[in-house]
Structure formats: structure tokens, C-alpha cells
Amino acid sequence: MENRKKVAFYTLGCKLNFSETSTIARNFNDEGFDRVDFEEVADIYVINTCSVTENADKQFKQVVKKAMKLNEKAFVAAVGCYAQLKPEELAAVDGVDLVLGATEKFKITDYIHDLSKNDMGEVHSCEIAEADFYVGSYSIGDRTRAFLKVQDGCDYKCTYCTIPLARGISRSDALENVLQNAKEISAQNIKEIVLTGVNIGDYGKGEFGNKKHEHTFLDLVQALDKVEGIERLRISSIEPNLLKNETIEFVSKSRTFVPHFHIPLQSGSNDILKLMKRRYLREVYTERVNKIREVMPHACIGVDVIVGFPGETDEHFLETYHFLNDMDISYLHVFTYSERDNTEAADMPGVVSANVRAKRSKMLRGLSVKKRRAFYESQLGTNRTVLFEGENKEGYIHGFTENYVKVKTPWNPELVNTLQEINLTKIDEDGSVRLEFLNKLAEA
């Protein structure tokens, strides 16, 4: 029998990239390749790139180096957002043989004819206007939860963001495809599905390859709630202007959707929100948070925020800080603004120095620690359901409650990928929460 070729994958960036890497990996499998871990020797290394932060650019070079160390004759392919935006730059990185942009990445097996190294990376990247068709994907096999892609691309013109340049216009999967993918996932005994996309609240747009659409995000949520066999559904990140009250109310009564929202704010100053061309003002954000708290007091609410945007004065930053401090939210994801080519913000006046950006970022990260702690404390003594993950970390197994409290308990392999009824007892020194099982079986 001929020797099957080995392929390994590395994913930089977001949950959407993870779901797409999984789909690409299944294509390789169909073509007769065996998937191995990225730490192992492989014939092909595929790196799914990200363009959101400067760091992602540096990371890419390190990952290529790592692959070359494992097998200097290996064929290295770069796909994804950074590959779409800066294909020539990636192709010039030592060791890279193939660079595929937004529309080509799902056809990667068509481009790998022979696996001989190239002197210079071969580039296939489309004009981003051609990225108008939809490829559904989901990730499985890496964890106890799956990321299910429902939407791609973005029609928003936020002044700091390259995603529309890297992923094209907003377009969605047909509702029946999403439901079919969800059924396939649940058939594999995966307990939790996280919905992902670039702008998932825009779901429905481009369902037919044009702007016409039949379904909304609320329709999607209501239909998924009826799929048999799924225990939990989580909405990953949704724009405040697209998170409607009807959706919040539906989630509060839903069978499977969990009380966890991640809502990008980016700035607590209306002046900065206008410069960013966000499609809401801070008052809308307050309304959303108040609505969630009204119908789901125990919900977890995560916030994205950017510090050091051009024109952000100390006053603007303090406005953001106090806005977040006063709001009943659970944690922050803090991003330090970094200039990206071909964005409006890159040419804006009022550049904030690197050390001020770093200082502001540190302040907000400190606030996030405080917020998460207060949220966890508010949950002590309550009964929750936890989904346990598969890793033994220093003798403990970890998991998350439906409202995203991270818990730990001594390692027991029988708990992996199970849902258990628990009571949250105390916060451990590492910040996760200890628990008592409500059913004695789990302790036995």
C-alpha cells in the first residue's frame, strides 16, 4: 500500500478560522492525507493566518520556522486573511511555498500538485470583490465544543478594520445548511455549539448570493433551538446594533441557548465611536446590557474594547474607563490599536504614542480582572450546569458553566465531555471556581 502523506495545521486568530481550518482538514482527509499534530513531522504544513493585530504577522514567521525545523523539505502553505491582504509579503517568507487568498483556501487540495519546494511562494489570491460565494464550515475533533460558521464577510466600514478587505462582503449560509451542519455536529456527541462568523447579527444577508434574504438572525436562533441532540448553543460575538430585544428575550426562555453574550463596544466615548464609524452610540450599548440584565440577571456579558485609537485623548479614555466600570459587565477583551494598511484610521491625526497605548491597555486589563472576579463572586452559592473539557491540567479537570464561569475539580476521566449539575462554592487562588456536585454519582 502506498505511503499516505501527512498534513498538519496551525490556526492563528479567531474562532471562525478554527472552524475553517477544520473544514480544510476534512478536505485533505477526503484526498487521502492523514492529519497529524503540528508538533509532528509532516509532508505539508498549512497555516491559517490572521490580520487583526501586528502580533499575528510576527507569529506567522515563527510558525513557519517551527515547521521548517520539523521537516525542512516540507511543503508550507499559507491561507486566510493575512494571505489575502499581503500575499506577496507572505510568499517572500523563507520556507513558504503556496499562498492562497479568501476564495482559494477551500480549494487548497487542487493547488498541491507536487510537493517540491518552491524558491518563492506561489500566490493565488483573488480580487476581494470575487469573494462573494459562501463556504460553510465547522470545527470538530479538537475540543468538547464545536464552532459553527453561519456567516462570512462584512459590509461595515469601521475605519480601523481590514476584515472587509480580507473576507469580502457580508454573506450567509442558507438556513437548511446551518441546520444540517448542526445535526452532523450533534450526531458526534458534541455537547456545545458556538455560532461564529465575522458579523453574525447580519445573518441572512447574501443567503442567495445577493442582498436578498429570507431569514434573520432571530429566525436562525429559533430554528437552531429546535435541533434535536444539541445540549448547548452559544452566540459568540454580536454587534450591539444587531442584537435585538426579541433575540435577548428568546435566549432568556430558550431550551439550548446559554446566557452568555459577547458584545463589541470598542470605545465608551461617542466622539471616538464616530471616528471609528461604528453604527451605534454608547447609549445603545447601555440599553442592550440593561435589557440582558432585566431578563437574565445571571448572564455573562463580555466586551471588546480598543485603546489608543487615533484622536483618543486622556479624557476620551477615562470616559471609556468609567463607562465600563459603572456597567454591570463580566469581563473585557482589550485590544491595543495597531495601524493597518489601507484603512482610514491609519491616516488619521492624533496618533497615540505606544507607551500611552500600553498604559491604557494595562488599566483596562486590570478592570477586566476586577469585573470577572465580581461576576464570579455573584455566582457563588448558585446551582449551574458545567460542561467538562478533555484535558488533565496539573491534576484538575476544567469546564465552563452555561454562563461562562470557569470551574475546576480534581481530574476524573469519566467527567470528560459530560454535563454535570453543580453548586459553585468558592474562588480558587488561580481565579477559577471550585464546586460541589449535586448528584452523588459524579463524585463516586
Side-chain angles (χ1 to χ4, degrees):
M1 178 183 159
E2 70 173 305
N3 208 353
R4 283 163 68 99
K5 297 269 187 244
K6 294 189 171 80
V7 60
F9 298 88
Y10 198 99
T11 306
L12 295 161
C14 63
K15 296 182 172 102
L16 183 56
N17 273 1
F18 276 98
S19 77
E20 294 184 340
T21 299
S22 277
T23 297
I24 293 166
R26 286 194 288 276
N27 295 345
F28 270 97
N29 206 19
D30 295 344
E31 297 289 330
F33 287 83
D34 287 329
R35 181 176 184 175
V36 297
D37 198 68
F38 201 84
E39 313 295 325
E40 296 178 42
V41 175
D43 301 289
I44 304 181
Y45 292 94
V46 179
I47 304 165
N48 194 353
T49 62
C50 167
S51 67
V52 173
T53 62
E54 302 251 17
N55 217 9
D57 313 357
K58 293 193 195 84
Q59 279 176 305
F60 174 74
K61 290 182 177 140
Q62 286 161 356
V63 177
V64 175
K65 242 187 213 141
K66 192 167 155 184
M68 294 282 78
K69 253 198 193 118
L70 288 161
N71 177 6
E72 59 179 29
K73 296 192 176 69
F75 188 89
V76 177
V79 301
C81 291
Y82 193 36
Q84 175 65 37
L85 290 174
K86 302 275 180 85
E88 266 63 30
E89 235 171 75
L90 289 197
V93 171
D94 210 23
V96 174
D97 300 295
L98 179 67
V99 179
L100 298 180
T103 60
E104 292 78 14
K105 63 188 169 195
F106 293 107
K107 304 184 290 226
I108 180 168
T109 50
D110 300 350
Y111 290 101
I112 297 175
H113 311 302
D114 69 25
L115 297 183
S116 50
K117 299 288 290 170
N118 295 325
D119 294 338
M120 176 80 182
E122 190 184 315
V123 173
H124 297 275
S125 82
C126 62
E127 284 304 310
I128 197 60
E130 293 165 26
D132 57 359
F133 58 88
Y134 184 86
V135 178
S137 47
Y138 58 84
S139 73
I140 271 190
D142 311 327
R143 16 177 91 96
T144 45
R145 63 180 79 92
F147 298 125
L148 170 58
K149 172 179 160 185
V150 299
Q151 182 275 345
D152 200 349
C154 189
D155 292 342
Y156 287 10
K157 300 284 184 283
C158 302
T159 53
Y160 52 82
C161 186
T162 55
I163 298 286
L165 301 171
R167 283 187 170 269
I169 57 170
S170 178
R171 54 211 189 272
S172 309
D173 205 350
L175 188 58
E176 56 271 24
N177 287 353
V178 176
L179 296 176
Q180 183 52 41
N181 284 340
K183 284 175 188 142
E184 285 175 24
I185 293 168
S186 78
Q188 304 200 33
N189 193 28
I190 285 179
K191 303 282 195 292
E192 179 174 310
I193 294 177
V194 182
L195 300 186
T196 174
V198 174
N199 186 359
I200 64 174
D202 212 20
Y203 176 80
K205 194 186 273 184
E207 225 179 320
F208 302 98
N210 53 22
K211 291 297 167 216
K212 179 163 89 76
H213 62 91
E214 212 175 292
H215 300 106
T216 63
F217 183 68
L218 180 60
D219 294 338
L220 172 74
V221 166
Q222 289 171 331
L224 280 167
D225 197 45
K226 297 190 184 100
V227 175
E228 289 300 311
I230 298 172
E231 304 272 355
R232 275 186 181 182
L233 284 153
R234 206 177 282 279
I235 296 168
S236 59
S237 180
I238 183 163
E239 294 284 306
N241 50 310
L242 295 172
L243 177 57
K244 301 287 186 257
N245 283 346
E246 297 81 22
T247 305
I248 295 171
E249 277 168 12
F250 181 78
V251 168
S252 75
K253 301 184 189 78
S254 151
R255 181 181 71 88
T256 52
F257 276 89
V258 295
H260 176 202
F261 294 88
H262 193 92
I263 314 168
L265 168 69
Q266 311 312 15
S267 174
S269 156
N270 282 342
D271 295 346
I272 299 297
L273 288 173
K274 286 172 188 165
L275 285 175
M276 290 176 165
K277 292 194 178 165
R278 300 293 284 156
R279 296 194 176 193
Y280 54 86
L281 295 174
R282 57 186 258 167
E283 290 73 14
V284 169
Y285 202 92
T286 308
E287 276 169 30
R288 293 299 175 267
V289 171
N290 291 346
K291 178 68 187 174
I292 293 167
R293 286 281 165 245
E294 178 198 319
V295 294
M296 287 172 272
H298 61 296
C300 180
I301 302 174
V303 184
D304 285 342
V305 60
I306 294 171
V307 296
F309 189 79
E312 184 186 61
T313 61
D314 285 346
E315 289 73 25
H316 291 132
F317 172 70
L318 286 172
E319 221 183 318
T320 296
Y321 187 91
H322 294 307
F323 181 67
L324 290 164
N325 192 33
D326 295 343
M327 206 182 310
D328 190 358
I329 53 159
S330 318
Y331 64 89
L332 304 171
H333 281 172
V334 183
F335 297 90
T336 304
Y337 171 74
S338 63
E339 285 79 1
R340 312 312 281 156
D341 290 347
N342 303 317
T343 58
E344 254 184 87
D347 303 320
M348 284 182 179
V351 172
V352 177
S353 70
N355 59 342
V356 172
R357 291 184 209 188
K359 195 173 100 189
R360 289 176 185 171
S361 170
K362 194 174 173 186
M363 277 178 74
L364 282 184
R365 283 209 285 269
L367 180 62
S368 181
V369 170
K370 195 178 100 178
K371 286 285 186 187
R372 193 186 297 267
R373 177 97 194 180
F375 174 61
Y376 281 10
E377 280 173 0
S378 76
Q379 295 304 301
L380 293 179
T382 62
N383 293 347
R384 298 279 168 240
T385 306
V386 64
L387 173 59
F388 283 105
E389 301 190 338
E391 213 179 325
N392 181 345
K393 286 186 186 161
E394 296 170 4
Y396 288 94
I397 185 168
H398 291 80
F400 284 93
T401 62
E402 64 275 38
N403 60 342
Y404 216 56
V405 173
K406 188 177 187 182
V407 302
K408 69 188 269 196
T409 198
W411 171 255
N412 173 355
E414 285 169 25
L415 291 173
V416 171
N417 198 29
T418 66
L419 287 153
Q420 300 288 343
E421 304 291 317
I422 54 124
N423 180 275
L424 298 169
T425 56
K426 65 170 195 203
I427 300 178
D428 209 47
E429 56 266 24
D430 68 357
S432 52
V433 179
R434 294 300 197 109
L435 55 92
E436 276 171 5
F437 289 99
L438 295 176
N439 50 343
K440 291 295 166 210
L441 282 176
E443 290 180 350

